[in-house]
Each structure stands twice: as C-alpha cells, then as structure tokens.
Amino acid sequence: MHHRGTTGPARILVINPNASRAVTAAIDAAMTPLRLAGGPVIAVTDLPEGPAGIATQQDADSVVMPLARRIAEDPADAFVIACFSDPGLHTAREVAGGRPVMGIAEWGLLRSLTLGERFGIVALSEGSVRRQRRMVRQMGLGERYAGSRPVAARADETAGEAIRDRLIAAARTLVTRDGADVIVLGCAGMAPHRAAVERAVGCPVVEPCQQAVAAALGAVLLRADL
C-alpha cells in the first residue's frame, strides 16, 4: 500500500470513473472554492478504462476493480469517487488502507439532510432513478426522499449550457409536485449549473462533488492535527 511521505502538501484525488473529459473538466472547475492557499492539493482525473458515461448498473459495476486498483496504487491522502452511483465505494475503502474515501452520492444526500426536510434528486435517466431509489433505501432515508426526476441526458451532455433549462424544469417539478425543499444534482457533470438552478427554484441545491471534497478536505486537515 502506498502512502504519502512526511514532506509535501496533502493531496486529495478526485476520480471521475468515466472517460468523459467534459465531465472531468466540470468537476475540476467546481473545485475552485475548495482550493485553499497552503491547503491540500485537489487533483481531478478521469478513469481511462471507464465507459464514456455511467448509465446502467453494468456500467457502474464495470469500473469497480479499475477504481480500486487506481486507489490502491496512488499515494493520495484521501479520495473522492465522483460519480453519483458511488461505484465501488466499499471496495475502495477496503483497499485505501484507512485513508478516507468519499462517494459523492453518499455525501450529497447527507448534506441535503441538514438543509431541508425532504430532498429530491435531479437524475440523468430512468435507469439512474432506479439506482437512486435503491441507494436511498439502503441508506435508510426513505422518509426524507421526495423522489427523483430524470432529464433524459447522458453524463457528457450535462456540462453544457443546453441542458440547464431541463435541470431547472426537473428541479421545479421536484419542489412543486413532489414536495422537495432541497435539491441534489444527481450527476457530477451538472456542477456548473448549481447556482443557476438554486436561483431558479428558490431552495438549496446541493452539488455533491463539492460536498464530498469538502468532507475529504475536513478529514485530511483534522487528521493532520493528530
């Protein structure tokens, strides 16, 4: 198992487990507020072995072992799996040797619980909705879940301006029809749209990559004090 030496800044590695450069770029841009002067380095990468996008359960399952190998071989102090399916999260924690591994779905949902009573998720597709329902059930959060609304898009389409109106429409439906009072963006590529969606719907909108990296940042900084 590789670990960082005693010299040099701490490093957090954010892994987009698909091969979409557009999604990776959107995640990287969303990290700007968390890149603190003198603080841990936040590096963002994709997974070349991954699919173009993670649309099905098979897509999610296919990246588990490549992700685990990447994490086991990298000396980073903490890791973030930047896909809303949280693929391989528990396997990654097994191979990380005690270093923190954050999943963006897990942290996005946990953050939403502090911002409202019922969260709704803007999903990519109907397949994504099914995975989200399973995750919510497994986390025991059914009573706080207003539902998911899909925008019928691929992950690599979410970073562009053209998708913004669909994201806003889905979020509005979650608020007005489903009773959500906090929205979680259900794909890492949606990161550039968080502020615009929040302004449009008038309730808190969680960008899960930022929340997971913020949690990793806290874990690394607090561990440095031990």
Side-chain angles (χ1 to χ4, degrees):
M1 200 72 65
H2 296 265
H3 295 278
R4 183 176 61 91
T6 56
T7 59
R11 179 169 162 270
I12 297 167
L13 182 62
V14 183
I15 306 173
N16 167 27
N18 68 44
S20 169
R21 292 184 177 180
V23 172
T24 304
I27 296 167
D28 191 59
M31 296 302 102
T32 299
L34 299 167
R35 289 183 165 123
L36 309 176
V41 173
I42 300 172
V44 182
T45 187
D46 58 17
L47 192 70
E49 306 98 315
I54 294 180
T56 66
Q57 190 63 49
Q58 291 179 67
D59 290 335
D61 291 344
S62 75
V63 303
V64 173
M65 295 316 296
L67 259 177
R69 286 191 295 271
R70 182 75 170 86
I71 287 169
E73 294 168 359
D74 196 286
D77 296 85
F79 301 90
V80 173
I81 298 175
C83 170
F84 204 77
S85 297
D86 282 355
L89 179 60
H90 302 293
T91 301
R93 285 173 175 161
E94 280 187 355
V95 303
R99 294 171 294 169
V101 181
M102 313 304 191
I104 68 168
E106 187 175 79
W107 276 100
L109 298 188
L110 290 173
R111 176 62 172 141
S112 77
L113 300 179
T114 72
L115 296 171
E117 284 298 311
R118 300 187 77 212
F119 63 88
I121 305 172
V122 178
L124 279 180
S125 65
E126 289 292 349
S128 302
V129 172
R130 289 191 291 273
R131 290 197 303 281
Q132 289 164 12
R133 286 173 180 158
R134 285 197 297 270
M135 180 174 295
V136 167
R137 184 175 67 248
Q138 289 162 359
M139 291 180 69
L141 300 178
E143 292 186 1
R144 305 283 293 275
Y145 178 46
S148 296
R149 293 282 177 170
V151 295
R154 301 187 313 270
D156 60 351
E157 295 176 311
T158 56
E161 292 286 331
I163 194 92
R164 184 168 290 180
D165 288 346
R166 275 190 276 168
L167 299 180
I168 289 170
R172 280 202 178 116
T173 300
L174 286 162
V175 171
T176 61
R177 192 175 304 174
D178 301 327
D181 57 2
V182 55
I183 299 298
V184 181
L185 298 179
C187 175
M190 297 176 185
H193 309 290
R194 190 205 67 79
V197 176
E198 185 166 288
R199 284 193 300 269
V201 300
C203 71
V205 175
V206 172
E207 198 295 293
C209 288
Q210 291 177 329
Q211 298 302 328
V213 174
L217 196 61
V220 168
L221 293 174
L222 291 171
R223 176 172 289 186
D225 288 338
L226 294 178

